[in-house]
Structures are given as structure tokens and as C-alpha cells.
């Protein structure tokens, strides 16, 4: 079996040069590229590890959890797009029994051709950012083909398909301002999380545009999830007493709605609530949730297509690899927002 080191020795180049050639990166002399490709063509295409060269027709899809409906929605959209392109998929839940790194090792052993990470470990606010960054860089240097979805790591040499979190915070707050709200709270995820920081900046920009001071007391941080949303909403209702809140996710918004009801507050009459994601349940809960929709299917298509540009020469010729795309969220107004009581 030939791996990157074997190819590098035979071509008299470094393993990182082999990786750059195989991933069609710029900055390689044509003579060097041809020499590496000649070696690859005469060696068995059964390399070991995540940088495997063999064509297996299988992609790895990694999501951080399955309890939040937005991640199964992404997984389904990615799988459908991959299947339409002729690829099978292996789905991994990276924060369950196995870690993301465990899953990557398993996928490498099974010879997947590339991997798509939805909210990868580097986007986890509890991770060691430097160590995690080094880990992804090592994977790339070893020939692994990676694409992030909402990865939050612009300095990494990994394409990132993402939604405009800043715009989401702005649109949510702007909608509430237009309804007449002046005390607008932010039920935020962890303070270190990039989506939290970006949404907060958008929230603040919309308030300042309307001549409203974005008070720090109107921001409450908690873990992502329904319990986190309930806890952060309780903190805001105890101290800042907002008439409306925007939330980091629909699941957090559902927790905020529950907290309001436990206090005898009606939604939206006493407290307007805006979510983010537009999970399938958002239109079925009571009241139906006003939210910012992520264009999940468009983002999934872009992620799979970007990975195929790395894998398939015919696809690669249609456009450059190694780009990142930012998608626009869409405000979906339903029943959980209204003008404040006079």
C-alpha cells in the first residue's frame, strides 16, 4: 500500500507537497506536479489513513449532535446531495459516545474520500482552539479533503460554508424595533462561541441604528439548548425585564417561551420571541415561532459541491476549489412576535 510518505519519497518531494498536489492547491510548479502525479499513477491507490487516495465513493458527514433538529436537517440535505452525485455517506455524531477525532480515525480506516463537518470541534467554545487548529492543519497536510459548514475558522485552509450570523442578529433586532420594542434582550449561547459574538454584534448594530443603547444587562449567556434558553430567559426576566428577546437558536427560543409561560407571561403579548434556524417544529409549536431561517439545502449543496471539486477532476474544472461562502438568513415572521403592550 502506498501512503503520502511513500509517494513523497518516490517523487523526491515532501509529504506536504504531495498533499497540495492531490488537493489541487496553488503554488506548485508544473514540473513538480507532473512528477508527483506520475508516481501516484504507478502506485497502488490504496493509501492508509484519512488522506487515502483510493476511490471508494464514500463521504464522511460529521455533526455535533442529533438532539437539535437543525443538525439532522443538515445531515439529510448533505446526504441527499451526495447521493445525487453518486456518493454514499457515513454519518457520525461527534459529541456522543465517540469524539470527533475518534470518528475521523474511523472514517479514515474505512477509506472515505472526504469529510464534511457541520459545526466542527473548532467551533465548540469549550475546545482548545490552538490544539484543534493544529489538528485540522495536520489532517490537511496529510491529504485529507475537508469542508466545514458553520465552522467559524477563517484562518484555516479549509473551505467554510456559513450563514451570516451578524445579519441574523441584525434582522431579528430590527424586526422587533419595527414592532415598537425598545427593551430587546438577547438569549445568547456561550460568550466564546463565534455565532454568539456575531449575533450580538448584529443585535447591537440594529439597536444603535434605532437610537437605542444596547445595554450589557440585556444579554444573558447559557449553553446551547432548550434548558440554556430557559435559564438565560429567566436571568433577563429577573433583572432587565425585556419586552422581547432574540435567541441564538430555535431550541433556545423554545426554552425562553417555556420560561415566560412559567411566569404567567403570554407570548407574544407580554414577551415577543425570535429564534434562529427555522427547524421543522418552528411552524408547529404554539405560538408558531418567528425565526431567521438558515438556507440549509443551499448550504448543503455548496458544501458537497466544494468537496467534489477536490475529489473529481471533471468537477474541479468547473470552478476553483478552496473558497468559502456566506449565505444570507431569511426572516420568517410567525406568531411569536407582536407589538409590545401599551
Amino acid at each position: 500500500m502506498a501512503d503520502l510518505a511513500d509517494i513523497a519519497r518516490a517523487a523526491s518531494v515532501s509529504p506536504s507537497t504531495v498533499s497540495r498536489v492531490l488537493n489541487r492547491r496553488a503554488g506548485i510548479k508544473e514540473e513538480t506536479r507532473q512528477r508527483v502525479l506520475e508516481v501516484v499513477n504507478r502506485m497502488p491507490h490504496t493509501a492508509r489513513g484519512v488522506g487515502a487516495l483510493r476511490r471508494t465513493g464514500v463521504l464522511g458527514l460529521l455533526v455535533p449532535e442529533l438532539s437539535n433538529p437543525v443538525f439532522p436537517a443538515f445531515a439529510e440535505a448533505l446526504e441527499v446531495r451526495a447521493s445525487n452525485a453518486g456518493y454514499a455517506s457515513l454519518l457520525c455524531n461527534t459529541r456522543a459516545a465517540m469524539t470527533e477525532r475518534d470518528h475521523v480515525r474511523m472514517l479514515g480506516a474505512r477509506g472515505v474520500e472526504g469529510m464534511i463537518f457541520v459545526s466542527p470541534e473548532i467551533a465548540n467554545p469549550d475546545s482548545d482552539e490552538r490544539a484543534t487548529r493544529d489538528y485540522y492543519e495536520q489532517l490537511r497536510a496529510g491529504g485529507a479533503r475537508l469542508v466545514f459548514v458553520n465552522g467559524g475558522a477563517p484562518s484555516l485552509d479549509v473551505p467554510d460554508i456559513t450563514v451570516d450570523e451578524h445579519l441574523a442578529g441584525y434582522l431579528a433586532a430590527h424586526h422587533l424595533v419595527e414592532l415598537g420594542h425598545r427593551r430587546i434582550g438577547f438569549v445568547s449561547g456561550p460568550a466564546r462561541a463565534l455565532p454568539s459574538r456575531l449575533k450580538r454584534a448584529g443585535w447591537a448594530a440594529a439597536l444603535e441604528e434605532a437610537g437605542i443603547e444596547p445595554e450589557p444587562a440585556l444579554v444573558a449567556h447559557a449553553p446551547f439548548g432548550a434548558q440554556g434558553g430557559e435559564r438565560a430567559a429567566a436571568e433577563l426576566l429577573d433583572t432587565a425585564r425585556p419586552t422581547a428577546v432574540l435567541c441564538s437558536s430555535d431550541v433556545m427560543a423554545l426554552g425562553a417561551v417555556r420560561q415566560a409561560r412559567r411566569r404567567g407571561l403570554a407570548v407574544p403579548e407580554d414577551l415577543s420571541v425570535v429564534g434562529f434556524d427555522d427547524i421543522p417544529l418552528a411552524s408547529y409549536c404554539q405560538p408558531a415561532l418567528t425565526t431567521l431561517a438558515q438556507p440549509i439545502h443551499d448550504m448543503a449543496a455548496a458544501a458537497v459541491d466544494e468537496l467534489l471539486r477536490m475529489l473529481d477532476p471533471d468537477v474541479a474544472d468547473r470552478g476553483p476549489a478552496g473558497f468559502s461562502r456566506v449565505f444570507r438568513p431569511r426572516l420568517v415572521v410567525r406568531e411569536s412576535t407582536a407589538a409590545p403592550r401599551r
Side-chain angles (χ1 to χ4, degrees):
M1 295 188 294
D3 61 15
L4 290 178
D6 296 329
I7 297 168
R9 282 192 294 270
S12 299
V13 297
S14 68
S16 62
T17 297
V18 176
S19 172
R20 292 182 67 83
V21 170
L22 295 177
N23 287 285
R24 301 178 178 87
R25 313 304 294 178
I28 301 295
K29 293 181 179 179
E30 181 62 22
E31 177 186 353
T32 302
R33 190 180 72 85
Q34 290 296 336
R35 186 165 72 250
V36 170
L37 292 177
E38 287 174 6
V39 171
V40 170
N41 289 333
R42 69 172 183 260
M43 281 188 164
H45 287 211
T46 53
R48 299 185 296 272
V50 295
L53 305 179
R54 62 189 176 197
R55 302 307 300 268
T56 60
V58 181
L59 305 180
L61 308 179
L62 300 97
V63 299
E65 59 172 300
L66 296 175
S67 57
N68 185 337
V70 72
F71 295 118
F74 264 117
E76 180 180 21
L78 289 165
E79 186 172 13
V80 168
R81 185 70 169 194
S83 178
N84 290 340
Y87 285 82
S89 304
L90 289 175
L91 178 63
C92 302
N93 178 359
T94 62
R95 294 178 198 164
M98 292 172 59
T99 67
E100 181 180 283
R101 298 189 187 202
D102 291 334
H103 281 293
V104 168
R105 283 191 289 269
M106 179 272 292
L107 292 172
R110 297 195 177 193
V112 298
E113 294 189 42
M115 290 175 276
I116 298 174
F117 298 72
V118 180
S119 295
E121 183 63 23
I122 197 166
N124 180 357
D126 297 324
S127 68
D128 183 332
E129 184 175 348
R130 179 59 181 272
T132 307
R133 185 181 304 277
D134 290 345
Y135 169 67
Y136 290 120
E137 289 177 346
Q138 290 168 9
L139 288 178
R140 290 288 292 113
R145 288 85 163 185
L146 316 176
V147 174
F148 289 166
V149 176
N150 290 335
S155 63
L156 276 174
D157 186 23
V158 176
D160 187 13
I161 310 302
T162 187
V163 69
D164 192 333
E165 306 272 4
H166 183 282
L167 181 60
Y170 174 87
L171 291 175
H174 180 72
H175 167 65
L176 294 169
V177 167
E178 285 193 320
L179 289 173
H181 292 276
R182 304 289 294 179
R183 294 196 60 76
I184 300 170
F186 178 27
V187 172
S188 173
R192 287 182 53 204
L194 182 61
S196 300
R197 301 199 305 269
L198 293 174
K199 286 192 183 78
R200 178 172 180 168
W203 162 83
L207 295 187
E208 290 171 348
E209 182 180 87
I212 304 171
E213 179 68 24
E215 303 173 29
L218 282 166
V219 179
H221 298 282
F224 293 113
Q227 290 183 339
E230 190 170 3
R231 191 176 88 190
E235 179 182 334
L236 292 178
L237 292 170
D238 282 341
T239 57
R241 299 190 177 278
T243 62
V245 294
L246 61 97
C247 304
S248 284
S249 70
D250 287 346
V251 174
M252 292 191 83
L254 296 178
V257 170
R258 183 182 181 189
Q259 179 61 225
R261 286 177 170 166
R262 290 180 64 180
R263 293 165 178 259
L265 301 176
V267 177
E269 293 81 3
D270 298 312
L271 183 72
S272 286
V273 178
V274 181
F276 173 77
D277 283 332
D278 197 25
I279 62 175
L281 291 176
S283 60
Y284 290 96
C285 60
Q286 292 294 323
L289 190 63
T290 295
T291 187
L292 274 297
Q294 292 198 69
I296 289 175
H297 292 280
D298 291 341
M299 293 171 69
V304 172
D305 291 350
E306 176 60 18
L307 189 58
L308 296 184
R309 285 186 177 92
M310 302 180 194
L311 300 174
D312 190 329
D314 294 332
V315 176
D317 290 341
R318 299 174 195 167
F323 73 101
S324 295
R325 292 185 60 184
V326 180
F327 283 79
R328 182 184 178 92
R330 178 174 54 89
L331 177 66
V332 181
V333 179
R334 296 193 180 103
E335 300 166 357
S336 66
T337 52
R341 288 189 189 272
R342 300 297 181 186

